[in-house]
Amino acid sequence: MPPRTPSPFQPQYTQGLRPCDDGRRGSKLPGCTTGELRRRIGQGEYLVIIDGLVCKLNGFVGKHPGGPLAIQHMVGRDATDEVASMHPREVLDVQVPRWAVARFVPDAGCGKHAVSFVEDMQLPYSAPRSTSLGANKYPQPGAAVSGLDYAAIQRDYRQLGAHLHAAGFYQCRYSDYAFEAARYTVLFATAVGLVLAGPHSAWTYLAAAVSTAMLWQQLAFFAHDLGHNELTGRRRFDMVLGICVGNLLGGLSVGWWKKNHNTHHIVTNDVDNDPDIQHLPFFAVSTRFFESRYSTYYKRIMHFDAAARVLVALQDKLYYPIMCFARYNLYVQSWSYLAFSDFAPFRWLEIGCVALFLVWFSWLVAQIPTWPLRALYVLVANSVSAIIHIQITLSHFAMSTESPDPTHECFAARQIRTTMDVACPRWLDWFHGGLQFQIEHHLFPRVPRHRLRDLQPMVKALCRKHRMDFMEFSFVDGNVYTVRWLGEVASRVSLFNAREMQHAAEAAAAETIKHRAL
């Protein structure tokens, strides 16, 4: 594997999380101890700790623009960094005090820098974080190790965030999107032009299909930016524009993606909670999936059944073929969300835009003279879209799924542990669309992607200072690393099958002995 890329940068920032951190917020509110917090959560209250305040969010959870799970997964936890990273500072300064019902006063036995107080509670909407400290019948290769100073990591991460605000990193440079818009226009014009005016040959429609797939890839990057409010910072405007891009031109629901993606950002690479790694029966990125875990996102058990055993045992060999069909799954997920989800704030706008996509795309396909050529165009356009699915999965599939210390591991340490960067030259940034800087994006998701390359040296310096691995590979090496990891997990399926057969034989033998005794 390639070496981690060093950087000579050393952090020079000293600002705190926000200028208003003066210790006086909520001074008139009653105190809430750890025991009281847990008792009230057990009674059904959604209590989240934000900036030292206990916020009751029962009345807001169904209205949260990022979906209810983004809140529910932080119940009983300190969500200060999660909220600060995903929202404008006005949310912390103005909205949070309105939701506050108490000041948090942790019990002495909880530890000074604990961030979770419910890891031993069975909450119906959020499973305890997967940990390498617990018992695992099928040990996870490459489990995370502890020994990091999470309080120091958290302090320096917040100082870096303040530095980015002061240095203007959150200001979008609209000139960057002029080049993006030109690229989208060229790809769209090429695809449509070849279909309407090109010679009637398989090569023409192959070229049109590739142009369509590249257009969908590039538009997905733009919709991702809009979903994180990186363009204008105005949530509603960015969301509506994202729907007009993703739903109308790509046929996928941006609302579904936002609900899924925000959950992923909050519980990155957690086996029971993160939908982005829950892909049974096709993939298992952790041996914990062998245990037929319950998904809090899909609200069902992910059965490791006979089909899963066969497919997961071959997942390293099937990785690329399955990626060629991944876009069809996104169509199904999008339509299911728009039809059945109880949380779809822009449902009718999205349905209208998806309907218009079906109209214009069906019309375009109808201009192709024969059914075989039409099928060729549709299949290739959707199959070449595998590129973006590979780019997305590289960021997390081969990374840690187990926390060394869920009670104390801070937000920044968790994001760095679970995420990978892809090294590429600057001139190739357009191809990766910001996904090459996933560590930086997960730490600061509202920083526009065109600024992430400038941010990367600062994050590397933070990692070096605190002895955290900064995982970065070239695109080719990242593919090799991911496929090898899938193969490593796949190799454990035979061990699982052997143990299951042994347990079944032992149970049968015990039953036989019992009957003989009778």
Side-chain angles (χ1 to χ4, degrees), residues 4 21 123 136 143 162 199 232 254 272 285 295 313 380-381 387 405-406 409 415 472 496 503 514 517:
R4 278 85 182 197
D21 284 345
L123 303 176
N136 185 357
T232 69
V254 171
D272 299 322
V285 301
S295 166
V380 172
I387 294 173
D405 186 356
E409 185 180 36
Q415 299 302 328
E472 181 181 37
F496 170 84
H503 292 160
K514 179 180 177 180

Short mmCIF file of all heavy atoms in Angstrom, two decimals, residues 4 21 123 136 143 162 199 232 254 272 285 295 313 380-381 387 405-406 409 415 472 496 503 514 517:
data_model
loop_
_atom_site.label_atom_id
_atom_site.label_comp_id
_atom_site.label_asym_id
_atom_site.label_seq_id
_atom_site.Cartn_x
_atom_site.Cartn_y
_atom_site.Cartn_z
N ARG A 4 1.36 7.14 3.54
CA ARG A 4 0.54 8.32 3.77
C ARG A 4 1.31 9.56 3.35
O ARG A 4 2.52 9.65 3.55
CB ARG A 4 0.15 8.44 5.25
CG ARG A 4 -1.03 7.59 5.64
CD ARG A 4 -0.62 6.20 5.97
NE ARG A 4 -1.75 5.36 6.30
CZ ARG A 4 -1.65 4.22 6.92
NH1 ARG A 4 -0.48 3.78 7.27
NH2 ARG A 4 -2.70 3.50 7.17
N ASP A 21 -18.79 31.48 23.40
CA ASP A 21 -18.50 30.49 24.44
C ASP A 21 -17.98 31.19 25.69
O ASP A 21 -16.79 31.19 25.97
CB ASP A 21 -17.47 29.47 23.95
CG ASP A 21 -18.09 28.46 23.01
OD1 ASP A 21 -19.32 28.39 22.97
OD2 ASP A 21 -17.33 27.76 22.32
N LEU A 123 -32.19 1.74 22.93
CA LEU A 123 -33.14 2.71 22.41
C LEU A 123 -33.76 2.15 21.12
O LEU A 123 -33.04 1.59 20.29
CB LEU A 123 -32.44 4.04 22.12
CG LEU A 123 -31.73 4.68 23.32
CD1 LEU A 123 -31.00 5.95 22.88
CD2 LEU A 123 -32.72 4.99 24.43
N ASN A 136 -17.34 -10.30 19.85
CA ASN A 136 -17.67 -10.48 18.45
C ASN A 136 -17.30 -11.90 18.07
O ASN A 136 -16.13 -12.28 18.09
CB ASN A 136 -16.90 -9.47 17.58
CG ASN A 136 -17.30 -9.56 16.11
OD1 ASN A 136 -18.11 -10.40 15.72
ND2 ASN A 136 -16.73 -8.69 15.31
N ALA A 143 -9.29 -4.08 13.49
CA ALA A 143 -10.11 -3.28 14.40
C ALA A 143 -9.34 -2.08 14.92
O ALA A 143 -8.11 -2.09 15.03
CB ALA A 143 -10.57 -4.15 15.57
N ALA A 162 -12.89 27.28 13.84
CA ALA A 162 -12.93 28.73 14.00
C ALA A 162 -12.01 29.42 13.01
O ALA A 162 -12.33 30.48 12.46
CB ALA A 162 -12.55 29.10 15.44
N PRO A 199 -25.05 9.69 -36.53
CA PRO A 199 -25.35 8.55 -37.41
C PRO A 199 -25.96 7.40 -36.61
O PRO A 199 -25.64 7.21 -35.44
CB PRO A 199 -23.97 8.17 -37.98
CG PRO A 199 -22.99 8.75 -37.02
CD PRO A 199 -23.62 9.98 -36.46
N THR A 232 -25.25 28.57 -1.51
CA THR A 232 -25.68 29.88 -1.02
C THR A 232 -25.79 29.93 0.50
O THR A 232 -25.86 31.01 1.07
CB THR A 232 -27.06 30.26 -1.60
OG1 THR A 232 -28.06 29.39 -1.04
CG2 THR A 232 -27.05 30.14 -3.11
N VAL A 254 -33.58 13.80 -4.44
CA VAL A 254 -32.62 14.47 -3.58
C VAL A 254 -33.09 14.42 -2.12
O VAL A 254 -32.28 14.35 -1.20
CB VAL A 254 -32.43 15.94 -4.04
CG1 VAL A 254 -31.60 16.73 -3.04
CG2 VAL A 254 -31.76 15.96 -5.40
N ASP A 272 -25.01 -0.94 12.66
CA ASP A 272 -26.46 -0.99 12.88
C ASP A 272 -27.18 0.27 12.43
O ASP A 272 -28.40 0.23 12.22
CB ASP A 272 -26.76 -1.22 14.36
CG ASP A 272 -26.19 -2.53 14.87
OD1 ASP A 272 -26.24 -3.52 14.12
OD2 ASP A 272 -25.70 -2.57 16.01
N VAL A 285 -19.30 -5.30 4.80
CA VAL A 285 -18.00 -4.67 5.00
C VAL A 285 -17.45 -4.95 6.40
O VAL A 285 -16.35 -4.53 6.72
CB VAL A 285 -18.07 -3.14 4.77
CG1 VAL A 285 -18.54 -2.85 3.35
CG2 VAL A 285 -18.99 -2.48 5.78
N SER A 295 -31.27 -3.10 11.37
CA SER A 295 -30.97 -1.77 10.82
C SER A 295 -31.95 -0.75 11.38
O SER A 295 -33.17 -0.87 11.17
CB SER A 295 -31.06 -1.79 9.29
OG SER A 295 -31.09 -0.46 8.78
N ALA A 313 -19.50 -14.26 0.14
CA ALA A 313 -18.30 -15.06 -0.05
C ALA A 313 -17.59 -14.74 -1.37
O ALA A 313 -16.40 -15.00 -1.53
CB ALA A 313 -18.64 -16.55 -0.01
N VAL A 380 -26.07 0.99 -20.99
CA VAL A 380 -24.72 1.54 -20.87
C VAL A 380 -24.74 2.82 -20.03
O VAL A 380 -23.86 3.03 -19.18
CB VAL A 380 -24.11 1.80 -22.26
CG1 VAL A 380 -22.79 2.56 -22.14
CG2 VAL A 380 -23.89 0.49 -22.99
N ALA A 381 -25.73 3.69 -20.24
CA ALA A 381 -25.80 4.93 -19.46
C ALA A 381 -25.89 4.62 -17.97
O ALA A 381 -25.21 5.26 -17.14
CB ALA A 381 -26.99 5.76 -19.90
N ILE A 387 -19.21 4.35 -11.99
CA ILE A 387 -18.03 5.13 -11.60
C ILE A 387 -18.29 5.87 -10.28
O ILE A 387 -17.48 5.82 -9.35
CB ILE A 387 -17.65 6.13 -12.71
CG1 ILE A 387 -17.18 5.39 -13.96
CG2 ILE A 387 -16.54 7.07 -12.22
CD1 ILE A 387 -16.95 6.30 -15.16
N ASP A 405 -13.73 3.28 21.68
CA ASP A 405 -14.27 3.83 22.93
C ASP A 405 -15.48 4.71 22.60
O ASP A 405 -15.37 5.93 22.52
CB ASP A 405 -13.20 4.65 23.65
CG ASP A 405 -13.65 5.12 25.03
OD1 ASP A 405 -14.82 4.87 25.39
OD2 ASP A 405 -12.84 5.75 25.74
N PRO A 406 -16.66 4.11 22.39
CA PRO A 406 -17.82 4.90 21.99
C PRO A 406 -18.23 5.96 23.01
O PRO A 406 -18.85 6.96 22.63
CB PRO A 406 -18.93 3.85 21.85
CG PRO A 406 -18.22 2.55 21.71
CD PRO A 406 -16.95 2.67 22.48
N GLU A 409 -15.04 8.72 22.35
CA GLU A 409 -14.53 9.09 21.03
C GLU A 409 -15.27 10.31 20.49
O GLU A 409 -16.49 10.29 20.32
CB GLU A 409 -14.68 7.92 20.06
CG GLU A 409 -14.04 8.21 18.70
CD GLU A 409 -14.18 7.06 17.72
OE1 GLU A 409 -15.24 6.38 17.75
OE2 GLU A 409 -13.25 6.82 16.94
N GLN A 415 -14.77 10.58 12.58
CA GLN A 415 -14.81 10.82 11.13
C GLN A 415 -13.48 10.44 10.47
O GLN A 415 -13.46 9.87 9.37
CB GLN A 415 -15.16 12.27 10.85
CG GLN A 415 -16.51 12.72 11.38
CD GLN A 415 -17.66 11.90 10.84
OE1 GLN A 415 -17.61 11.40 9.72
NE2 GLN A 415 -18.69 11.72 11.65
N GLU A 472 -4.97 7.81 2.91
CA GLU A 472 -5.04 8.42 1.58
C GLU A 472 -4.36 7.51 0.57
O GLU A 472 -3.22 7.08 0.78
CB GLU A 472 -4.38 9.80 1.58
CG GLU A 472 -4.44 10.50 0.23
CD GLU A 472 -3.75 11.85 0.24
OE1 GLU A 472 -2.72 11.98 0.93
OE2 GLU A 472 -4.25 12.76 -0.43
N PHE A 496 -17.55 -18.79 9.33
CA PHE A 496 -18.90 -18.66 9.85
C PHE A 496 -19.71 -19.93 9.56
O PHE A 496 -20.39 -20.47 10.43
CB PHE A 496 -19.58 -17.45 9.20
CG PHE A 496 -21.05 -17.35 9.48
CD1 PHE A 496 -21.52 -16.76 10.64
CD2 PHE A 496 -21.98 -17.84 8.56
CE1 PHE A 496 -22.88 -16.67 10.90
CE2 PHE A 496 -23.34 -17.75 8.81
CZ PHE A 496 -23.79 -17.16 9.99
N HIS A 503 -22.14 -25.81 15.54
CA HIS A 503 -23.17 -25.53 16.55
C HIS A 503 -24.42 -26.37 16.30
O HIS A 503 -25.05 -26.87 17.24
CB HIS A 503 -23.52 -24.05 16.53
CG HIS A 503 -22.40 -23.17 17.00
ND1 HIS A 503 -22.34 -21.83 16.71
CD2 HIS A 503 -21.29 -23.45 17.74
CE1 HIS A 503 -21.25 -21.31 17.24
NE2 HIS A 503 -20.60 -22.28 17.87
N LYS A 514 -30.63 -36.10 25.06
CA LYS A 514 -31.80 -35.80 25.90
C LYS A 514 -32.92 -36.81 25.68
O LYS A 514 -33.54 -37.30 26.63
CB LYS A 514 -32.29 -34.38 25.58
CG LYS A 514 -33.51 -33.96 26.38
CD LYS A 514 -33.93 -32.55 25.98
CE LYS A 514 -35.19 -32.13 26.74
NZ LYS A 514 -35.61 -30.75 26.36
N ALA A 517 -32.05 -40.16 27.20
CA ALA A 517 -32.19 -40.15 28.65
C ALA A 517 -33.64 -40.33 29.08
O ALA A 517 -33.93 -40.89 30.15
CB ALA A 517 -31.63 -38.85 29.22
#
